Amino acid sequence: MAEHAELTQSLFQALSTFVRKQFGRYILLIDEYDIPFITVYLAKWSNDDKQAALDILKALLQDMLKDNDNLIKCLLFGVFEIPLTEMGSGANNIRDIRLISAEESDIQGSILKAAYPHSGCGMDALTDAFWFNAHEVEQMLDNSTALCTRVAVYKPFILETIKEWYNGYFIGRFRGKYNPWSVSSFIEALCWLLNQTTSDDEVDIAAITKSAARAYWVTTGTTGLIEAQIDRHRPQFIHLTKRLLRDYEASKTTAENSSPDNSTEVTAATTDEPPPPPVFLAIPQLNLTSLGSGTFSESGLLTLCLHAGYLTRRLSTSVCIPNHEVYQVWLQLFARAVLGSELADKSTNNAHGALLTQLWAGNAKMLCTLATSSHGVLSNHNNYVEKDYANHFANTIMAVSRFGLLTHPSQKTVDLSHVVTVRENHAGHGICDYTMRLFSPTGQPNQFGVVIEFKLIESGRRGDARYCKRRAEEGLRQIGNRNYDSWLVGCLERLDVGIAIGNSAVHAEVQLYRRDEADAPWVRANVIA
């Protein structure tokens, strides 16, 4: 390690001298300067090896920043603040420009809207230089008309799409910042798609914009540190991710329903559900010790995601998912935690409404596959209880519903505001285990319901197929005998699912029911056409 360090230092000194002779003194830009320190800190090395590695990094920074007569200034970029001065690196003349305010009072002070020209001064003026504000996005869109004249025609709609997908960041004191890479990539892709349409007729701007709008920035980075938390603390990560997803979906639904242009009637199932509580984070300080330990730290994970750009500030004490682009990342992380990475990838590639279509036909094979796709969630111990299986499966159902596997095939989009969990995780409490509302085959929201009842397979009988089938049928009968359908007020169709489950052993029975009116008795049906 020491030999490599000496070689690196000598090579840098040679390069620095060469640049000085050819071009004069220079400005040094160092990107992701924090990654080597974090890598060393989280590495499974001995303390002596870690200290040796840190000494090498500090010596290199000494050569680059302090003992370098060829240097004018250096600008270091990083996600996490590494106290170089305190580490004795020689970098002792550092001025911090924080994109996330370090003090709570900085956030609670006068919050400045991202506009042009910026209204900040001092360090605020510098923070407004990061990422795009609303004026810069509109100016960039106007400039793109030189490449595609149709952009001007659909400008308001395009701006709304950009705002939904790439806006929402809170930088310093400035709210409403846009991700520059994603905005630039979106406009480039949109112009190319619009130029492919040669017809003079009005183009389907909604479809074209939807094709251009996708995750750009998030695919350039890595979620390795976040995924490490999934592997270490899967149940806690699932719980936290569900809160973040529901918070985003609730805020999006509220914004849509409050829009004066929105004439869609809000269903009782939507309005009766109280909004989820905000996800609180009082002090945004990264604690690498907590992330590397065996104990789950919610504040540590939230701060990690906040600094990395996967969350942003909503208020002084809470964080949230900033926009639809990052929302896609959290969906993937949630699926990875619930299903495991392999099955999560497969679930996104399934046809729209694939699971619901199979269940309507009486085929529960895919459902059983999902029920046993624990990848570390389900324990192999025999003392696992019914509630534990129900809790896992409730998370799995919510995950696949967010990927459209439970959406009716005739629906072009997955409207998450209508994937309403009525009851969940109540196994073993004498009431229905899991109930949710979905789109009906006729496209009506919240008129189709799914009721699931779990039955635990005894540890010594998991290889008995007939016994497993009887347990699933018992759960199916229990739904009707105990009137669990009462939780589906207003639904005209319902699918009852009885699941016998125990580790890798699982068997499911399904039955479809219909009725013409909300207060009419249910009629058994075979399959939906």
Side-chain angles (χ1 to χ4, degrees):
M1 189 181 293
E3 292 176 357
H4 283 87
E6 292 177 3
L7 177 61
T8 302
Q9 288 175 263
S10 63
L11 287 174
F12 175 80
Q13 291 168 356
L15 176 63
S16 178
T17 303
F18 172 79
V19 173
R20 171 69 181 272
K21 290 181 178 179
Q22 295 293 321
F23 307 102
R25 299 176 68 203
Y26 58 83
I27 295 175
L28 179 62
L29 306 178
I30 303 178
D31 193 20
E32 297 186 353
Y33 82 100
D34 53 329
I35 296 300
F37 293 95
I38 294 175
T39 302
V40 171
Y41 198 94
L42 297 180
K44 296 179 179 179
W45 300 346
S46 67
N47 290 334
D48 290 341
D49 286 342
K50 287 187 176 183
Q51 187 57 51
L54 290 175
D55 289 341
I56 290 171
L57 291 173
K58 288 189 289 185
L60 182 59
L61 287 173
Q62 179 89 8
D63 287 341
M64 299 171 76
L65 304 182
K66 188 170 185 180
D67 300 334
N68 187 357
D69 294 333
N70 304 321
L71 182 69
I72 299 175
K73 282 185 181 293
C74 177
L75 184 60
L76 298 94
F77 295 92
V79 174
F80 309 112
E81 183 180 350
I82 305 297
L84 298 179
T85 302
E86 299 174 16
M87 294 175 62
S89 65
N92 52 7
N93 295 314
I94 294 179
R95 184 73 180 271
D96 293 325
I97 304 173
R98 295 186 178 94
L99 302 192
I100 299 173
S101 299
E103 300 296 332
E104 188 173 323
S105 59
D106 291 343
I107 304 171
Q108 291 178 332
S110 57
I111 305 301
L112 305 176
K113 184 179 179 182
Y116 182 87
H118 63 76
S119 52
C121 60
M123 299 303 287
D124 281 339
L126 293 177
T127 55
D128 192 36
F130 291 96
W131 295 36
F132 290 165
N133 58 38
H135 172 82
E136 290 165 337
V137 171
E138 185 171 1
Q139 186 179 36
M140 188 174 185
L141 197 62
D142 290 340
N143 293 341
S144 68
T145 56
L147 301 175
C148 179
T149 57
R150 283 180 171 154
V151 168
V153 179
Y154 305 105
K155 178 181 173 180
F157 182 83
I158 295 172
L159 283 174
E160 282 300 313
T161 303
I162 295 176
K163 183 177 181 180
E164 176 188 2
W165 272 80
Y166 311 117
N167 184 229
Y169 292 98
F170 198 159
I171 305 297
R173 292 173 180 262
F174 294 91
R175 188 189 299 276
K177 303 289 279 190
Y178 290 77
N179 186 310
W181 173 254
S182 297
V183 171
S184 304
S185 301
F186 167 80
I187 293 177
E188 181 181 7
L190 180 68
C191 290
W192 186 87
L193 289 172
L194 287 173
N195 286 332
Q196 302 308 303
T197 307
T198 57
S199 174
D200 293 333
D201 298 333
E202 185 175 354
V203 300
D204 188 351
I205 187 61
I208 293 177
T209 305
K210 182 180 178 181
S211 298
R214 54 182 181 269
Y216 292 102
W217 166 74
V218 293
T219 60
T220 65
T222 177
T223 56
L225 281 174
I226 303 176
E227 291 173 2
Q229 295 299 301
I230 297 177
D231 297 334
R232 291 192 186 101
H233 314 289
R234 195 179 300 267
Q236 296 93 329
F237 186 88
I238 290 173
H239 177 69
L240 175 60
T241 308
K242 284 175 67 175
R243 288 163 55 200
L244 289 168
L245 290 172
R246 286 175 174 169
D247 174 70
Y248 176 82
E249 292 157 9
S251 62
K252 181 181 177 183
T253 303
T254 302
E256 290 175 349
N257 291 334
S258 61
S259 172
D261 298 330
N262 187 2
S263 59
T264 304
E265 181 181 356
V266 182
T267 63
T270 303
T271 56
D272 288 346
E273 291 233 338
V279 181
F280 291 103
L281 177 63
I283 303 175
Q285 294 179 348
L286 181 65
N287 188 341
L288 291 177
T289 304
S290 64
L291 292 177
S293 68
T295 303
F296 178 73
S297 171
E298 180 175 297
S299 61
L301 178 58
L302 289 175
T303 306
L304 166 68
C305 297
L306 178 65
H307 282 265
Y310 296 102
L311 291 175
T312 193
R313 284 284 193 173
R314 171 173 289 159
L315 299 172
S316 61
T317 57
S318 64
V319 293
C320 61
I321 297 173
N323 51 46
H324 200 68
E325 178 184 34
V326 181
Y327 171 72
Q328 301 297 318
V329 179
W330 283 101
L331 283 179
Q332 294 287 348
L333 292 172
F334 181 55
R336 185 184 188 278
V338 174
L339 306 175
S341 55
E342 182 179 354
L343 196 61
D345 293 337
K346 291 181 180 179
S347 69
T348 60
N349 295 326
N350 274 303
H352 197 66
L355 175 58
L356 191 59
T357 302
Q358 288 197 15
L359 291 176
W360 279 339
N363 183 355
K365 183 178 179 180
M366 181 181 292
L367 186 71
C368 292
T369 300
L370 293 170
T372 55
S373 62
S374 59
H375 289 262
V377 178
L378 292 183
S379 170
N380 290 321
H381 301 296
N382 292 330
N383 61 353
Y384 224 57
V385 297
E386 180 179 325
K387 181 180 179 180
D388 296 323
Y389 290 105
N391 182 65
H392 159 68
F393 194 69
N395 289 324
T396 304
I397 287 292
M398 187 61 69
V400 300
S401 68
R402 285 185 164 93
F403 285 103
L405 268 68
L406 279 170
T407 301
H408 190 268
S410 66
Q411 295 297 319
K412 295 182 180 180
T413 60
V414 182
D415 191 337
L416 295 177
S417 63
H418 296 309
V419 180
V420 180
T421 303
V422 185
R423 303 194 69 88
E424 66 171 284
N425 305 348
H426 288 288
H429 290 277
I431 54 180
C432 59
D433 292 342
Y434 192 88
T435 311
M436 66 189 304
R437 299 172 183 267
L438 303 165
F439 274 104
S440 72
T442 57
Q444 297 299 315
N446 300 313
Q447 289 192 355
F448 179 79
V450 179
V451 185
I452 302 175
E453 179 64 29
F454 301 95
K455 291 298 173 184
L456 187 62
I457 301 173
E458 297 177 10
S459 59
R461 306 189 67 178
R462 289 170 182 165
D464 188 342
R466 292 185 178 181
Y467 164 78
C468 295
K469 179 178 174 61
R470 287 198 303 269
R471 289 289 283 167
E473 292 172 342
E474 181 183 340
L476 202 61
R477 289 193 299 270
Q478 184 173 322
I479 294 174
N481 294 339
R482 298 190 180 181
N483 299 320
Y484 287 163
D485 60 283
S486 60
W487 299 105
L488 300 176
V489 177
C491 286
L492 302 182
E493 292 157 312
R494 90 170 195 260
L495 189 69
D496 293 354
V497 182
I499 297 182
I501 186 169
N503 283 354
S504 58
V506 62
H507 186 87
E509 295 288 333
V510 297
Q511 180 57 56
L512 178 69
Y513 293 88
R514 289 176 176 166
R515 58 185 177 187
D516 295 330
E517 297 179 355
D519 56 351
W522 292 103
V523 178
R524 187 170 178 171
N526 292 326
V527 63
I528 293 181

